[in-house]
Amino acid sequence: MYLGAVSSESDMEKRGSLPDGIGELLFDAKPIGVLVSPYAVAVDPTGILYVADSAGAAVHAFNLRTRDYHQFSSLGKKAGLQKPVALMTLTDRVYVVDSVLHQVCVFRKTGEFVFAFGQDQLERPAGIACRRPEGTIYVADTGSHALYVFNHEGQFIRKIGTRGINAGQFNFPTHLYIDDAGQLYVSDTLNYRVQVFGPDDRFLMAFGQQGDRPGNLAHPCGVATDQTGNIYVIDRQFENVQVFDPQGRILMAFGEEGSGPGQFWLPAGIAIDARDRIYVADSYNKRVQVFELLKEGGR
């Protein structure tokens, strides 16, 4: 079920669409910043939606309960984010991956910069995820075709993977996700698949292959799971969201190329909250679209 979109202020003004502009509905038409190219999304347990705006060089924070909004980008001493492409929340902090700065920048949820890490290891970081409760952080690095593991304070622990096509090898890995059971999902983008690893980092399975049939992947990006364990994969080239069961079997897909409700233009990131609301970073449409999973028999 399509719920609406958090759009840029200018985009909503241009379209004049209150039903489609959930950002305008939630924030009473107050200025909410301009989304230039939203690339990644995360929702924390308190209902704050964080959006990494890669071309806007900022992180937008929408409180979906209180209707408050703020954005942040400053790293202090006249420095700032350059190209934020991924983010996640952990306790009172937001971890933001910047692919140009080759590092993870850590902020308080208020937007205050705390510290950065990964500069000595990362070549072109692209994705991030955290294994809770221990706070182990995984960063996908497309430059080295590997994953880097850090603790929550940014201390390097180990590197996982090399370039290749075998299980546990990667070819331009991008987006990461870790579910409540501790399973790690990796969008192994140019191997046209998603790889899944257990809490001990051992390979469990992979699904997807190059092609144009249902269940094939052309450019897998964002990945997330819902409360029943189904796996959602953004495909940037197909411009849709494909849904797989926990064993990696295709169930359905939604979305197509376009700028209308439920349509996408180079989507990238995805997040699913505890209510199974699905947030998709619809990059070139300059918005985040929100969907709700309807259970059998109604909501």
Side-chain angles (χ1 to χ4, degrees):
M1 176 183 177
Y2 175 76
L3 292 181
V6 177
S7 311
S8 71
E9 183 182 6
S10 59
D11 187 48
M12 287 190 293
E13 209 174 337
K14 178 183 69 178
R15 290 185 290 116
S17 175
L18 281 174
D20 293 344
I22 194 171
E24 193 164 331
L25 288 172
L26 291 174
F27 295 90
D28 296 328
K30 297 175 183 176
I32 59 171
V34 175
L35 299 180
V36 180
S37 183
Y39 195 80
V41 287
V43 184
D44 78 359
T46 68
I48 300 177
L49 169 66
Y50 295 92
V51 183
D53 191 340
S54 61
V59 173
H60 303 261
F62 302 88
N63 192 315
L64 304 179
R65 295 180 180 177
T66 66
R67 304 184 181 185
D68 291 326
Y69 164 82
H70 67 281
Q71 66 172 268
F72 51 90
S73 62
S74 174
L75 303 178
K77 297 182 180 179
K78 299 183 180 180
L81 295 172
Q82 297 296 307
K83 190 173 183 179
V85 295
L87 76 173
M88 52 155 269
T89 65
L90 180 64
T91 62
D92 67 337
R93 294 177 175 182
V94 183
Y95 292 70
V96 182
V97 172
D98 194 300
S99 62
V100 171
L101 297 176
H102 316 289
Q103 64 186 23
V104 178
C105 304
V106 184
F107 299 85
R108 299 197 187 281
K109 289 184 177 180
T110 56
E112 175 191 357
F113 175 66
V114 182
F115 68 97
F117 65 89
Q119 306 94 321
D120 296 332
Q121 291 84 24
L122 302 172
E123 296 181 30
R124 194 169 59 192
I128 191 169
C130 179
R131 180 166 285 133
R132 295 172 172 85
E134 63 267 30
T136 305
I137 295 171
Y138 293 72
V139 179
D141 190 78
T142 60
S144 59
H145 309 279
L147 311 182
Y148 288 84
V149 186
F150 304 85
N151 69 14
H152 68 281
E153 293 297 337
Q155 295 173 323
F156 174 69
I157 299 174
R158 62 184 176 276
K159 177 183 175 183
I160 300 173
T162 57
R163 189 172 193 177
I165 61 173
N166 296 322
Q169 294 184 312
F170 307 105
N171 191 18
F172 291 94
T174 54
H175 295 67
L176 302 180
Y177 174 76
I178 296 177
D179 65 18
D180 291 339
Q183 293 190 157
L184 169 66
Y185 301 77
V186 182
S187 280
D188 189 8
T189 301
L190 291 191
N191 278 329
Y192 314 103
R193 65 186 180 184
V194 173
Q195 293 197 64
V196 186
F197 301 83
D200 57 359
D201 294 337
R202 292 186 181 182
F203 173 81
L204 296 179
M205 69 171 186
F207 60 91
Q209 61 181 2
Q210 189 175 20
D212 56 9
R213 298 173 59 86
N216 293 159
L217 298 170
H219 194 129
C221 286
V223 58
T225 62
D226 63 22
Q227 298 301 307
T228 61
N230 293 325
I231 307 163
Y232 296 66
V233 182
I234 299 282
D235 195 296
R236 197 163 170 83
Q237 184 169 324
F238 290 153
E239 295 182 301
N240 67 5
V241 182
Q242 296 196 59
V243 187
F244 301 81
D245 72 10
Q247 288 73 47
R249 298 172 296 207
I250 185 68
L251 296 175
M252 61 170 286
F254 62 91
E256 62 183 0
E257 182 180 357
S259 58
Q263 297 179 323
F264 304 110
W265 188 7
L266 294 179
I270 186 172
I272 303 176
D273 67 16
R275 297 179 296 171
D276 279 336
R277 285 193 170 182
I278 304 158
Y279 303 79
V280 178
D282 189 9
S283 296
Y284 273 49
N285 278 325
K286 305 179 186 297
R287 63 187 180 184
V288 175
Q289 294 201 64
V290 188
F291 303 83
E292 185 170 42
L293 177 64
L294 296 183
K295 308 292 196 302
E296 187 175 350
R299 292 193 178 191

